Amino acid sequence: MNTSPDNERAGMPSGSGAERWLTCPGAQAAEAGKPDPQTEDAAEGDFLHEVMARGVSPVKDEHHPLIDFCRETRDRLVVDLLAADRGAPIIEERLWLRDADLEPVASCRVDYAIGGLHAAQDGAAMLAIDYKFGRRGADSAEINAQLRFTAAVLGQEFSPDVVFVAIVAPRAEGERVTVAKFTGQQCAAAHREMVAAAKRAMLPNQPRNPSPKACHYCRARGTSACPESIAAATALSIVPGAELSSDVLATLLDRCDMADRVIDAMRTEAKRRIEAGAVIPGWRLKPGATSKKVSAKDAWAKIGQQIGGSAFAECCTVSFAVPRLRLEVPDRGQVGQGSAGRY
Ligand code: SF4
């Protein structure tokens, strides 16, 4: 049985890529058939989702606090938002977005969802939780397109009065838990938006619109299926006007972000081809150092105690976290969002 994501989704758009196909309708066709490069971080994320779904104990010490945080937060959200009369949870299940004729047009895999009575007022409510284990952080729940898609699907399937959608991101540097509330009307608006965009994304010859958010995880970036992403990356060299004003700098930083991802994708593809025996004129692979991330605690347990404190210290660099300014892109609002509700 082929369990590739494209097959599981029957070739239709996925809620996890909603940010992409909402702003770049041509991405669905451009990505079709492209392999999903499985990075170490993505594999770890899959594993931790599996641990959450199956309720088992994580293997690595460093994962225990992440799983504990997710489980405690999930239980607290359920108690705080839903009254006691609760149904069985939906765990790691694929749900389908349907159009007015009940034909499926897109789908999403829900990490965790549960229904019950709204704890603060009469009426049926649902809570959906999306776990994000990456270090990069995520958009907060009220502007996250994936969670707006989830609210649309839950509204369609269960017709609750209220849907709460939450992001639980135990490694995020900022807020680790954000919650958005969608009324029945907001779910219906999100449903109309998502059905229209998903149908558009399935049409041939749709425009491809590069942007840092859309291209970040797109499998077509830096490939011949999307010359626009390559053009956007190379446009970095074209500085409009002589003066580097703050506005121009902001535009260029956006392009830098996207260019980084496109360049990474091109290097990965070149390595894959050379490893497969292809010739890329002027380029070859050379052996490089491989590295493995180990937590300080694990390193001490494995080798530090054997070689002694001073020998261990000679192998380590100690750094102190001090407040500093760094560049980041703030959340950008979108149409049809749920109401803000920080938890
Ligand atoms: S790389 Fe960017 S522009 Fe190209 S298809 Fe993907 S999202 Fe669209």
Side-chain angles (χ1 to χ4, degrees):
M1 184 175 68
N2 188 337
T3 55
S4 83
D6 279 345
N7 273 21
E8 194 184 327
R9 298 166 192 148
M12 293 180 203
S14 155
S16 59
E19 183 74 53
R20 179 156 57 252
W21 45 264
L22 280 166
T23 55
C24 177
Q28 182 67 19
E31 283 195 292
K34 295 257 173 311
D36 205 354
Q38 184 65 300
T39 63
E40 217 175 285
D41 286 349
E44 185 196 43
D46 287 348
F47 172 76
L48 292 171
H49 275 89
E50 179 90 11
V51 168
M52 285 301 295
R54 293 173 53 201
V56 294
S57 190
V59 180
K60 292 186 181 172
D61 282 355
E62 68 188 81
H63 290 156
H64 279 276
L66 307 178
I67 296 297
D68 289 348
F69 180 83
C70 287
R71 287 183 178 148
E72 284 163 22
T73 306
R74 175 197 62 199
D75 295 346
R76 191 157 46 91
L77 287 171
V78 170
V79 169
D80 285 358
L81 297 173
L82 302 179
D85 198 7
R86 297 188 282 267
I90 295 167
I91 296 172
E92 285 289 340
E93 199 174 307
R94 183 162 292 279
L95 300 179
W96 292 86
L97 182 79
R98 295 175 188 278
D99 65 10
D101 298 323
L102 301 183
E103 291 297 326
V105 295
S107 69
C108 64
R109 182 172 277 279
V110 174
D111 289 347
Y112 179 91
I114 187 167
L117 286 176
H118 192 325
Q121 62 195 63
D122 284 343
M126 290 209 74
L127 164 67
I129 298 177
D130 191 57
Y131 306 114
K132 304 272 188 209
F133 290 103
R135 293 172 175 82
R136 192 172 170 261
D139 283 345
S140 58
E142 68 264 29
I143 62 156
N144 186 289
Q146 179 187 353
L147 293 200
R148 200 158 74 252
F149 184 98
T150 304
V153 172
L154 292 178
Q156 162 203 286
E157 289 291 292
F158 303 100
S159 306
D161 299 295
V162 170
V163 173
F164 295 101
V165 286
I167 290 179
V168 178
R171 280 175 168 148
E173 285 182 10
E175 286 176 288
R176 295 193 290 169
V177 183
T178 55
V179 182
K181 175 182 166 186
F182 285 75
T183 62
Q185 268 187 339
Q186 286 171 321
C187 287
H191 189 271
R192 285 193 295 276
E193 177 199 9
M194 293 296 166
V195 168
K199 284 188 157 186
R200 184 181 177 200
M202 290 297 287
L203 295 174
N205 305 320
Q206 289 303 297
R208 291 181 290 271
N209 303 323
S211 70
K213 276 190 172 181
C215 302
H216 193 89
Y217 292 114
C218 184
R219 287 178 277 157
R221 70 184 189 281
T223 72
S224 55
C226 183
E228 290 81 358
S229 67
I230 298 172
T234 49
L236 193 59
S237 57
I238 305 164
V239 179
E243 193 194 336
L244 201 59
S245 68
S246 294
D247 284 346
V248 171
L249 200 50
T251 306
L252 290 174
L253 285 171
D254 271 353
R255 287 186 197 165
C256 288
D257 191 17
M258 195 165 48
D260 280 345
R261 300 287 297 173
V262 172
I263 291 164
D264 276 354
M266 287 194 280
R267 286 197 172 121
T268 303
E269 174 61 12
K271 282 181 194 159
R272 188 192 66 75
R273 287 190 195 184
I274 294 173
E275 278 171 353
V279 174
I280 298 186
W283 291 89
R284 65 186 169 87
L285 289 180
K286 66 170 188 176
T290 54
S291 62
K292 189 178 168 202
K293 279 182 268 176
V294 184
S295 74
K297 204 171 140 198
D298 283 352
W300 175 252
K302 280 184 186 148
I303 56 166
Q305 287 171 347
Q306 292 163 30
I307 64 175
S310 56
F312 183 68
E314 279 174 27
C315 315
C316 302
T317 318
V318 177
S319 60
F320 296 95
V322 291
R324 64 188 168 88
L325 290 175
R326 63 180 196 132
L327 288 169
E328 68 172 11
V329 185
D331 294 339
R332 291 169 178 156
Q334 293 178 358
V335 293
Q337 63 195 44
S339 11
R342 305 274 179 187
Y343 183 78

